[in-house]
Amino acid sequence: ITTKYLEPRLLIVTDPRMDSQAVKEAAYANIPVIALCDTDSPLEHVDIAIPGNNKGKESIALVYWLLAREVQYLRGSLSRANPWDIMVDS
């Protein structure tokens, strides 16, 4: 099991206040951090802040859905010409 261990290349957190320990440890290991941030979220050790409501489950679902679609676009597994036939689960 330990031979398959890989260091993470990126940390994505929903609330930097609740995940402060993970954000701090990622900063020590020089791992970039993307965080969904509300107006009262601390931004120390956060590399990219995505502004939005990080308290409501529908808004969190929408942001993660959009991030997943963008990753699929960038990997080439999904074309931008395709319609949005799958909607967000909440």
Side-chain angles (χ1 to χ4, degrees):
I1 294 175
T2 58
T3 59
K4 294 287 186 175
Y5 177 74
L6 297 173
E7 288 286 334
R9 297 185 335 189
L10 177 69
L11 177 66
I12 301 175
V13 295
T14 302
D15 189 0
R17 184 178 311 280
M18 297 301 292
D19 299 323
S20 62
Q21 184 66 34
V23 171
K24 191 181 298 183
E25 290 178 9
Y28 291 149
N30 289 329
I31 298 171
V33 177
I34 298 175
L36 279 89
C37 294
D38 209 351
T39 56
D40 64 343
S41 297
L43 295 178
E44 55 264 356
H45 307 301
V46 172
D47 296 306
I48 297 175
I50 300 174
N53 180 8
N54 62 1
K55 304 291 187 272
K57 67 178 185 175
E58 286 85 11
S59 63
I60 293 170
L62 177 64
V63 170
Y64 278 116
W65 187 79
L66 290 171
L67 282 173
R69 279 190 67 87
E70 191 61 32
V71 168
Q72 289 178 339
Y73 287 146
L74 293 174
R75 287 183 177 170
S77 61
L78 189 63
S79 171
R80 292 199 188 269
N82 292 347
W84 292 32
D85 54 351
I86 300 173
M87 299 312 293
V88 180
D89 290 336
S90 61

